[in-house]
Amino acid sequence: MSQSNGVGIFQESAREVSGSIEGGGEMPRDGLTYKERIRAKLFEIQIGRPMTKPVIATVTKPREECRVALITTGGIHLKNQAPFTPKNGDHSFRLIPRNTSQTEITVTHGHYDETDVRADVNCLLPMDRLEELVKEGFVASSASSHISFMGYIPDVGPLVNETAPEAARILLEDGVDIVVLTPG
């Protein structure tokens, strides 16, 4: 998208979202700020459908019986996996097997300071802490693999329509009950 086209879409979205104010009306009472409305409209334009509220599934069994997965947007991957492509964004994900050693992991994100993650991946993908909770009986088990996205994804269409459903399918097939999300 060219910069001028992006500015035009932004201006059009802003006019649509704020039209009621400019026309002397009141701001819609949906609880969203002006900035949130603009983001929602841009999201709708980008993926071709309106942004909806997230669906939060209710956990139906005791925590002690639950299987837990970790998902991060920190760009973590195994050293032998293809790196993420941070320059233009990357909607793909990498599977990180649950018993992976920190020495086998690296990070290619580039849009945050990776120093702490390189020193201890658990600050972003707390696999060791999760295994400790499993050993203590706090949760039943951890997923066979955890999932890492890059997080810088300017074009979210492929993520929403392809990658995220595939990641969800993998977690469901693995019997995951709870997912802990960590940002990059």
Side-chain angles (χ1 to χ4, degrees):
M1 171 186 322
S2 70
Q3 182 178 5
S4 62
N5 187 20
V7 170
I9 289 173
F10 179 80
Q11 290 170 338
E12 179 183 323
S13 298
R15 279 193 298 274
E16 184 177 322
V17 167
S18 65
S20 63
I21 291 177
E22 291 173 6
E26 293 185 19
M27 194 68 139
R29 299 188 190 281
D30 58 7
L32 295 177
T33 66
Y34 179 77
K35 188 175 183 181
E36 290 168 334
R37 267 188 213 89
I38 292 292
R39 280 191 180 144
K41 185 62 182 174
L42 291 173
F43 183 85
E44 179 180 342
I45 290 167
Q46 191 173 29
I47 67 163
R49 65 176 193 236
M51 180 183 287
T52 58
K53 289 185 178 184
V55 177
I56 308 287
T58 304
V59 179
T60 59
K61 58 186 177 181
R63 169 189 34 81
E64 299 84 3
E65 297 175 15
C66 289
R67 186 172 185 85
V68 180
L70 303 171
I71 296 181
T72 185
T73 58
I76 294 169
H77 59 91
L78 301 179
K79 290 178 180 176
N80 65 0
Q81 292 174 326
F84 289 99
T85 54
K87 183 177 179 185
N88 297 318
D90 189 333
H91 68 275
S92 66
F93 64 85
R94 308 291 181 271
L95 295 176
I96 312 293
R98 77 168 148 236
N99 295 321
T100 301
S101 164
Q102 280 205 53
T103 60
E104 301 173 65
I105 294 176
T106 191
V107 59
T108 53
H109 194 292
H111 293 272
Y112 69 91
D113 182 350
E114 300 166 357
T115 305
D116 292 336
V117 177
R118 291 184 186 281
D120 182 4
V121 73
N122 284 287
C123 73
L124 193 57
L125 189 69
M127 295 187 305
D128 293 344
R129 303 300 75 82
L130 179 55
E131 290 305 319
E132 290 168 3
L133 293 174
V134 170
K135 287 178 185 168
E136 293 171 9
F138 188 79
V139 295
S141 61
S142 73
S144 299
S145 291
H146 303 293
I147 297 178
S148 177
F149 290 90
M150 198 262 254
Y152 174 65
I153 309 170
D155 179 6
V156 298
L159 172 72
V160 171
N161 297 315
E162 302 164 22
T163 315
E166 176 64 12
R169 183 193 61 74
I170 290 168
L171 296 174
L172 288 171
E173 286 180 0
D174 193 30
V176 170
D177 302 296
I178 297 173
V179 176
V180 178
L181 305 172
T182 65

